[in-house]
Amino acid sequence: MTNKEKIKKIQYAIDHPNTEELYYSLLEEMGDLKNSYYDYMTTTPINCDRELERLPEADYELATALLTMLLREDHFANGSLMRRLESGQLNAVLNRMIETLSA
């Protein structure tokens, strides 16, 4: 999949927010779901808020790992993904993914 195609899919997810299934599908379709997302993290146990502080300098791989982290957080703390969407954190990760693909 080309970067332009990925950008289009990510932008669709931003424009049409939905349940965690949309974001899992997005990562799976692009081949970017990080099953070992914890390998990219610097905190133990993982502190999602501290990890998100790394977003401004994140490359594409870290950004996809951060998105996977948020999806896994929602699995353990049901509803956290929607709270992060409402706070703008989820779209910040998606926008960073677009930024890195556009560079």
Side-chain angles (χ1 to χ4, degrees):
M1 179 175 293
T2 68
N3 286 358
K4 281 188 174 192
E5 291 169 325
K6 286 183 179 187
I7 290 169
K8 190 174 183 177
K9 286 185 174 291
I10 297 165
Q11 190 60 55
Y12 180 87
I14 292 169
D15 294 341
H16 302 90
N18 208 315
T19 63
E20 69 181 273
E21 285 119 27
L22 170 79
Y23 304 104
Y24 268 117
S25 294
L26 172 71
L27 289 173
E28 287 173 347
E29 288 174 22
M30 296 188 310
D32 293 324
L33 182 64
K34 301 290 188 259
N35 291 319
S36 299
Y37 68 96
Y38 42 82
D39 290 342
Y40 295 83
M41 303 301 122
T42 59
T43 56
T44 305
I46 294 173
N47 180 322
C48 294
D49 292 319
R50 289 218 13 234
E51 295 297 343
L52 287 171
E53 292 173 4
R54 301 168 57 207
L55 186 61
E57 288 81 36
D59 63 8
Y60 183 75
E61 294 302 311
L62 177 57
T64 59
L66 290 170
L67 180 54
T68 304
M69 172 194 73
L70 294 179
L71 292 170
R72 296 302 297 153
E73 175 192 37
D74 189 68
H75 175 77
F76 294 108
N78 197 13
S80 66
L81 189 67
M82 288 302 113
R83 286 191 299 275
R84 292 199 183 271
L85 176 63
E86 291 168 3
S87 73
Q89 291 173 314
L90 180 60
N91 281 347
V93 173
L94 294 169
N95 281 314
R96 182 63 186 165
M97 290 167 63
I98 290 173
E99 288 172 28
T100 59
L101 289 170
S102 299

